[in-house]
Amino acid sequence: MTAPDRERRAASSAAAAAGAQIQRRRRQRGMSQAELARRTGLSKATLSQLEAGAGNPTIDTLDAIAVALSIPLTDLLTRDASPDTVHLAATAASDEGPTRELLRRISGGHSLELWRLRLPAQTSVDGVPHAPGTIEHLLVASGRLVAGPTEDPRSLDAGDLLAFAGDAPHAYRTDDVPADVTVVIASPAIG
């Protein structure tokens, strides 16, 4: 598969996911396509095409739809909105370096990402500051580490929870014991 084919497939997958969210949220509100089209200034044909996943909406178009539906823009960009039970089997950690896994993205007024961070012994990682207003939560499943804002790091043991402003420089560091940490990143709603 060529790079353009992969990009086209990814774009259509993203458009289909956004279209499904638009339709789902519109129906939840008991709103017709004609009413949503009127509120957004889009034609009904354009809206129908977007809901079918056949369009390629701009951020401005998605933002207008999100405003009309009274939801955060991020809710339209969520691919995993299934109410079904989700079971993710455990995976092995790498001994070579940190292992990061996005476990789940949860929307609904704000954006939540649930990550697993596994750090081998003697590992140091600088966290990238997130969007303004983001709060990062760490729950240590096993091991120990020093983590948090670069200016105010904290020592954490298994079972400890730490929440801090994720929009500032932060870091994670293990000593002679590896750590398995659940990280929840809560970002403010867009719009």
PDB file of all heavy atoms in Angstrom, residues 53-81:
ATOM      1  N   GLY A  53     -20.058   9.781   6.162  1.00  0.00           N
ATOM      2  CA  GLY A  53     -18.612   9.556   6.160  1.00  0.00           C
ATOM      3  C   GLY A  53     -17.985   9.806   4.811  1.00  0.00           C
ATOM      4  O   GLY A  53     -16.827   9.466   4.588  1.00  0.00           O
ATOM      5  N   ALA A  54     -18.732  10.421   3.898  1.00  0.00           N
ATOM      6  CA  ALA A  54     -18.230  10.642   2.543  1.00  0.00           C
ATOM      7  C   ALA A  54     -17.568  12.004   2.391  1.00  0.00           C
ATOM      8  O   ALA A  54     -16.921  12.273   1.395  1.00  0.00           O
ATOM      9  CB  ALA A  54     -19.378  10.516   1.539  1.00  0.00           C
ATOM     10  N   GLY A  55     -17.725  12.887   3.367  1.00  0.00           N
ATOM     11  CA  GLY A  55     -17.140  14.219   3.269  1.00  0.00           C
ATOM     12  C   GLY A  55     -15.770  14.271   3.901  1.00  0.00           C
ATOM     13  O   GLY A  55     -15.259  13.290   4.439  1.00  0.00           O
ATOM     14  N   ASN A  56     -15.170  15.430   3.825  1.00  0.00           N
ATOM     15  CA  ASN A  56     -13.871  15.671   4.446  1.00  0.00           C
ATOM     16  C   ASN A  56     -13.990  16.998   5.190  1.00  0.00           C
ATOM     17  O   ASN A  56     -13.557  18.034   4.696  1.00  0.00           O
ATOM     18  CB  ASN A  56     -12.770  15.717   3.383  1.00  0.00           C
ATOM     19  CG  ASN A  56     -11.391  15.727   4.004  1.00  0.00           C
ATOM     20  OD1 ASN A  56     -11.233  15.469   5.193  1.00  0.00           O
ATOM     21  ND2 ASN A  56     -10.402  16.053   3.205  1.00  0.00           N
ATOM     22  N   PRO A  57     -14.622  16.990   6.377  1.00  0.00           N
ATOM     23  CA  PRO A  57     -14.939  18.235   7.067  1.00  0.00           C
ATOM     24  C   PRO A  57     -13.704  18.974   7.567  1.00  0.00           C
ATOM     25  O   PRO A  57     -12.731  18.358   7.981  1.00  0.00           O
ATOM     26  CB  PRO A  57     -15.806  17.777   8.237  1.00  0.00           C
ATOM     27  CG  PRO A  57     -15.368  16.384   8.499  1.00  0.00           C
ATOM     28  CD  PRO A  57     -15.006  15.811   7.147  1.00  0.00           C
ATOM     29  N   THR A  58     -13.779  20.307   7.526  1.00  0.00           N
ATOM     30  CA  THR A  58     -12.730  21.134   8.112  1.00  0.00           C
ATOM     31  C   THR A  58     -12.979  21.243   9.614  1.00  0.00           C
ATOM     32  O   THR A  58     -14.069  20.932  10.096  1.00  0.00           O
ATOM     33  CB  THR A  58     -12.743  22.548   7.505  1.00  0.00           C
ATOM     34  OG1 THR A  58     -13.977  23.185   7.876  1.00  0.00           O
ATOM     35  CG2 THR A  58     -12.585  22.514   5.983  1.00  0.00           C
ATOM     36  N   ILE A  59     -11.991  21.715  10.329  1.00  0.00           N
ATOM     37  CA  ILE A  59     -12.150  21.935  11.769  1.00  0.00           C
ATOM     38  C   ILE A  59     -13.249  22.971  12.008  1.00  0.00           C
ATOM     39  O   ILE A  59     -14.061  22.828  12.920  1.00  0.00           O
ATOM     40  CB  ILE A  59     -10.815  22.389  12.410  1.00  0.00           C
ATOM     41  CG1 ILE A  59      -9.802  21.253  12.372  1.00  0.00           C
ATOM     42  CG2 ILE A  59     -11.019  22.888  13.829  1.00  0.00           C
ATOM     43  CD1 ILE A  59     -10.148  20.054  13.214  1.00  0.00           C
ATOM     44  N   ASP A  60     -13.298  24.008  11.158  1.00  0.00           N
ATOM     45  CA  ASP A  60     -14.341  25.025  11.311  1.00  0.00           C
ATOM     46  C   ASP A  60     -15.739  24.424  11.150  1.00  0.00           C
ATOM     47  O   ASP A  60     -16.665  24.777  11.885  1.00  0.00           O
ATOM     48  CB  ASP A  60     -14.145  26.166  10.304  1.00  0.00           C
ATOM     49  CG  ASP A  60     -12.960  27.054  10.658  1.00  0.00           C
ATOM     50  OD1 ASP A  60     -12.555  27.066  11.845  1.00  0.00           O
ATOM     51  OD2 ASP A  60     -12.432  27.726   9.754  1.00  0.00           O
ATOM     52  N   THR A  61     -15.889  23.518  10.192  1.00  0.00           N
ATOM     53  CA  THR A  61     -17.185  22.868   9.977  1.00  0.00           C
ATOM     54  C   THR A  61     -17.554  22.013  11.190  1.00  0.00           C
ATOM     55  O   THR A  61     -18.674  22.084  11.702  1.00  0.00           O
ATOM     56  CB  THR A  61     -17.167  22.002   8.702  1.00  0.00           C
ATOM     57  OG1 THR A  61     -16.927  22.852   7.576  1.00  0.00           O
ATOM     58  CG2 THR A  61     -18.463  21.251   8.513  1.00  0.00           C
ATOM     59  N   LEU A  62     -16.600  21.224  11.678  1.00  0.00           N
ATOM     60  CA  LEU A  62     -16.866  20.393  12.850  1.00  0.00           C
ATOM     61  C   LEU A  62     -17.157  21.249  14.075  1.00  0.00           C
ATOM     62  O   LEU A  62     -18.028  20.917  14.892  1.00  0.00           O
ATOM     63  CB  LEU A  62     -15.694  19.448  13.116  1.00  0.00           C
ATOM     64  CG  LEU A  62     -15.488  18.338  12.093  1.00  0.00           C
ATOM     65  CD1 LEU A  62     -14.214  17.564  12.408  1.00  0.00           C
ATOM     66  CD2 LEU A  62     -16.687  17.412  12.046  1.00  0.00           C
ATOM     67  N   ASP A  63     -16.456  22.375  14.205  1.00  0.00           N
ATOM     68  CA  ASP A  63     -16.698  23.268  15.325  1.00  0.00           C
ATOM     69  C   ASP A  63     -18.119  23.835  15.264  1.00  0.00           C
ATOM     70  O   ASP A  63     -18.808  23.904  16.289  1.00  0.00           O
ATOM     71  CB  ASP A  63     -15.669  24.403  15.335  1.00  0.00           C
ATOM     72  CG  ASP A  63     -15.792  25.273  16.569  1.00  0.00           C
ATOM     73  OD1 ASP A  63     -15.784  24.732  17.694  1.00  0.00           O
ATOM     74  OD2 ASP A  63     -15.901  26.508  16.406  1.00  0.00           O
ATOM     75  N   ALA A  64     -18.561  24.237  14.081  1.00  0.00           N
ATOM     76  CA  ALA A  64     -19.925  24.762  13.928  1.00  0.00           C
ATOM     77  C   ALA A  64     -20.957  23.701  14.304  1.00  0.00           C
ATOM     78  O   ALA A  64     -21.959  24.000  14.968  1.00  0.00           O
ATOM     79  CB  ALA A  64     -20.154  25.240  12.493  1.00  0.00           C
ATOM     80  N   ILE A  65     -20.712  22.468  13.913  1.00  0.00           N
ATOM     81  CA  ILE A  65     -21.626  21.372  14.246  1.00  0.00           C
ATOM     82  C   ILE A  65     -21.623  21.121  15.752  1.00  0.00           C
ATOM     83  O   ILE A  65     -22.675  20.957  16.374  1.00  0.00           O
ATOM     84  CB  ILE A  65     -21.262  20.098  13.459  1.00  0.00           C
ATOM     85  CG1 ILE A  65     -21.521  20.318  11.958  1.00  0.00           C
ATOM     86  CG2 ILE A  65     -22.022  18.889  13.979  1.00  0.00           C
ATOM     87  CD1 ILE A  65     -20.953  19.235  11.059  1.00  0.00           C
ATOM     88  N   ALA A  66     -20.427  21.115  16.359  1.00  0.00           N
ATOM     89  CA  ALA A  66     -20.334  20.898  17.806  1.00  0.00           C
ATOM     90  C   ALA A  66     -21.081  21.987  18.572  1.00  0.00           C
ATOM     91  O   ALA A  66     -21.799  21.690  19.532  1.00  0.00           O
ATOM     92  CB  ALA A  66     -18.869  20.849  18.234  1.00  0.00           C
ATOM     93  N   VAL A  67     -20.939  23.236  18.146  1.00  0.00           N
ATOM     94  CA  VAL A  67     -21.646  24.336  18.805  1.00  0.00           C
ATOM     95  C   VAL A  67     -23.151  24.143  18.670  1.00  0.00           C
ATOM     96  O   VAL A  67     -23.904  24.283  19.638  1.00  0.00           O
ATOM     97  CB  VAL A  67     -21.194  25.703  18.221  1.00  0.00           C
ATOM     98  CG1 VAL A  67     -22.114  26.827  18.694  1.00  0.00           C
ATOM     99  CG2 VAL A  67     -19.751  25.986  18.614  1.00  0.00           C
ATOM    100  N   ALA A  68     -23.605  23.789  17.476  1.00  0.00           N
ATOM    101  CA  ALA A  68     -25.045  23.590  17.243  1.00  0.00           C
ATOM    102  C   ALA A  68     -25.596  22.432  18.071  1.00  0.00           C
ATOM    103  O   ALA A  68     -26.758  22.449  18.470  1.00  0.00           O
ATOM    104  CB  ALA A  68     -25.306  23.353  15.757  1.00  0.00           C
ATOM    105  N   LEU A  69     -24.763  21.441  18.344  1.00  0.00           N
ATOM    106  CA  LEU A  69     -25.182  20.279  19.136  1.00  0.00           C
ATOM    107  C   LEU A  69     -24.909  20.465  20.628  1.00  0.00           C
ATOM    108  O   LEU A  69     -25.227  19.584  21.433  1.00  0.00           O
ATOM    109  CB  LEU A  69     -24.473  19.016  18.637  1.00  0.00           C
ATOM    110  CG  LEU A  69     -24.850  18.544  17.230  1.00  0.00           C
ATOM    111  CD1 LEU A  69     -23.917  17.420  16.769  1.00  0.00           C
ATOM    112  CD2 LEU A  69     -26.293  18.075  17.197  1.00  0.00           C
ATOM    113  N   SER A  70     -24.275  21.584  20.984  1.00  0.00           N
ATOM    114  CA  SER A  70     -23.924  21.887  22.385  1.00  0.00           C
ATOM    115  C   SER A  70     -23.037  20.817  22.996  1.00  0.00           C
ATOM    116  O   SER A  70     -23.275  20.346  24.121  1.00  0.00           O
ATOM    117  CB  SER A  70     -25.188  22.075  23.236  1.00  0.00           C
ATOM    118  OG  SER A  70     -25.961  23.134  22.734  1.00  0.00           O
ATOM    119  N   ILE A  71     -22.011  20.426  22.248  1.00  0.00           N
ATOM    120  CA  ILE A  71     -21.047  19.442  22.735  1.00  0.00           C
ATOM    121  C   ILE A  71     -19.639  19.950  22.449  1.00  0.00           C
ATOM    122  O   ILE A  71     -19.446  20.800  21.575  1.00  0.00           O
ATOM    123  CB  ILE A  71     -21.236  18.047  22.070  1.00  0.00           C
ATOM    124  CG1 ILE A  71     -21.065  18.139  20.547  1.00  0.00           C
ATOM    125  CG2 ILE A  71     -22.572  17.448  22.453  1.00  0.00           C
ATOM    126  CD1 ILE A  71     -21.069  16.797  19.848  1.00  0.00           C
ATOM    127  N   PRO A  72     -18.633  19.427  23.149  1.00  0.00           N
ATOM    128  CA  PRO A  72     -17.264  19.813  22.839  1.00  0.00           C
ATOM    129  C   PRO A  72     -16.846  19.256  21.477  1.00  0.00           C
ATOM    130  O   PRO A  72     -17.272  18.163  21.080  1.00  0.00           O
ATOM    131  CB  PRO A  72     -16.430  19.175  23.945  1.00  0.00           C
ATOM    132  CG  PRO A  72     -17.366  18.513  24.869  1.00  0.00           C
ATOM    133  CD  PRO A  72     -18.730  18.546  24.295  1.00  0.00           C
ATOM    134  N   LEU A  73     -16.023  19.991  20.787  1.00  0.00           N
ATOM    135  CA  LEU A  73     -15.514  19.557  19.484  1.00  0.00           C
ATOM    136  C   LEU A  73     -14.876  18.170  19.580  1.00  0.00           C
ATOM    137  O   LEU A  73     -15.043  17.337  18.691  1.00  0.00           O
ATOM    138  CB  LEU A  73     -14.503  20.577  18.953  1.00  0.00           C
ATOM    139  CG  LEU A  73     -13.769  20.228  17.666  1.00  0.00           C
ATOM    140  CD1 LEU A  73     -14.741  20.051  16.511  1.00  0.00           C
ATOM    141  CD2 LEU A  73     -12.743  21.301  17.339  1.00  0.00           C
ATOM    142  N   THR A  74     -14.172  17.912  20.671  1.00  0.00           N
ATOM    143  CA  THR A  74     -13.487  16.622  20.818  1.00  0.00           C
ATOM    144  C   THR A  74     -14.454  15.441  20.773  1.00  0.00           C
ATOM    145  O   THR A  74     -14.057  14.346  20.389  1.00  0.00           O
ATOM    146  CB  THR A  74     -12.672  16.565  22.121  1.00  0.00           C
ATOM    147  OG1 THR A  74     -13.535  16.892  23.222  1.00  0.00           O
ATOM    148  CG2 THR A  74     -11.508  17.537  22.079  1.00  0.00           C
ATOM    149  N   ASP A  75     -15.725  15.659  21.151  1.00  0.00           N
ATOM    150  CA  ASP A  75     -16.689  14.563  21.095  1.00  0.00           C
ATOM    151  C   ASP A  75     -16.933  14.095  19.662  1.00  0.00           C
ATOM    152  O   ASP A  75     -17.278  12.936  19.439  1.00  0.00           O
ATOM    153  CB  ASP A  75     -18.017  14.964  21.730  1.00  0.00           C
ATOM    154  CG  ASP A  75     -17.961  14.942  23.252  1.00  0.00           C
ATOM    155  OD1 ASP A  75     -16.854  14.809  23.800  1.00  0.00           O
ATOM    156  OD2 ASP A  75     -19.019  15.062  23.874  1.00  0.00           O
ATOM    157  N   LEU A  76     -16.765  14.987  18.689  1.00  0.00           N
ATOM    158  CA  LEU A  76     -16.955  14.605  17.284  1.00  0.00           C
ATOM    159  C   LEU A  76     -15.731  13.896  16.726  1.00  0.00           C
ATOM    160  O   LEU A  76     -15.805  13.263  15.681  1.00  0.00           O
ATOM    161  CB  LEU A  76     -17.281  15.827  16.427  1.00  0.00           C
ATOM    162  CG  LEU A  76     -18.593  16.529  16.750  1.00  0.00           C
ATOM    163  CD1 LEU A  76     -18.776  17.736  15.843  1.00  0.00           C
ATOM    164  CD2 LEU A  76     -19.767  15.570  16.622  1.00  0.00           C
ATOM    165  N   LEU A  77     -14.618  13.993  17.422  1.00  0.00           N
ATOM    166  CA  LEU A  77     -13.375  13.390  16.933  1.00  0.00           C
ATOM    167  C   LEU A  77     -13.088  12.056  17.602  1.00  0.00           C
ATOM    168  O   LEU A  77     -12.074  11.436  17.332  1.00  0.00           O
ATOM    169  CB  LEU A  77     -12.209  14.364  17.168  1.00  0.00           C
ATOM    170  CG  LEU A  77     -12.386  15.736  16.528  1.00  0.00           C
ATOM    171  CD1 LEU A  77     -11.239  16.657  16.920  1.00  0.00           C
ATOM    172  CD2 LEU A  77     -12.516  15.626  15.025  1.00  0.00           C
ATOM    173  N   THR A  78     -13.983  11.614  18.472  1.00  0.00           N
ATOM    174  CA  THR A  78     -13.800  10.359  19.192  1.00  0.00           C
ATOM    175  C   THR A  78     -14.160   9.186  18.306  1.00  0.00           C
ATOM    176  O   THR A  78     -15.242   9.131  17.739  1.00  0.00           O
ATOM    177  CB  THR A  78     -14.688  10.338  20.457  1.00  0.00           C
ATOM    178  OG1 THR A  78     -14.310  11.438  21.265  1.00  0.00           O
ATOM    179  CG2 THR A  78     -14.526   9.061  21.224  1.00  0.00           C
ATOM    180  N   ARG A  79     -13.246   8.247  18.165  1.00  0.00           N
ATOM    181  CA  ARG A  79     -13.503   7.062  17.347  1.00  0.00           C
ATOM    182  C   ARG A  79     -14.145   5.947  18.150  1.00  0.00           C
ATOM    183  O   ARG A  79     -14.878   5.150  17.636  1.00  0.00           O
ATOM    184  CB  ARG A  79     -12.204   6.545  16.735  1.00  0.00           C
ATOM    185  CG  ARG A  79     -11.665   7.456  15.675  1.00  0.00           C
ATOM    186  CD  ARG A  79     -10.363   6.882  15.162  1.00  0.00           C
ATOM    187  NE  ARG A  79      -9.694   7.837  14.317  1.00  0.00           N
ATOM    188  CZ  ARG A  79      -9.500   7.651  13.031  1.00  0.00           C
ATOM    189  NH1 ARG A  79      -9.904   6.562  12.453  1.00  0.00           N
ATOM    190  NH2 ARG A  79      -8.882   8.554  12.327  1.00  0.00           N
ATOM    191  N   ASP A  80     -13.835   5.881  19.428  1.00  0.00           N
ATOM    192  CA  ASP A  80     -14.320   4.772  20.240  1.00  0.00           C
ATOM    193  C   ASP A  80     -15.425   5.252  21.153  1.00  0.00           C
ATOM    194  O   ASP A  80     -15.195   5.603  22.290  1.00  0.00           O
ATOM    195  CB  ASP A  80     -13.166   4.185  21.055  1.00  0.00           C
ATOM    196  CG  ASP A  80     -13.580   2.952  21.817  1.00  0.00           C
ATOM    197  OD1 ASP A  80     -14.655   2.395  21.547  1.00  0.00           O
ATOM    198  OD2 ASP A  80     -12.831   2.543  22.689  1.00  0.00           O
ATOM    199  N   ALA A  81     -16.628   5.293  20.638  1.00  0.00           N
ATOM    200  CA  ALA A  81     -17.754   5.760  21.439  1.00  0.00           C
ATOM    201  C   ALA A  81     -18.724   4.630  21.746  1.00  0.00           C
ATOM    202  O   ALA A  81     -19.841   4.855  22.132  1.00  0.00           O
ATOM    203  CB  ALA A  81     -18.481   6.876  20.697  1.00  0.00           C
TER     204      ALA A  81
END
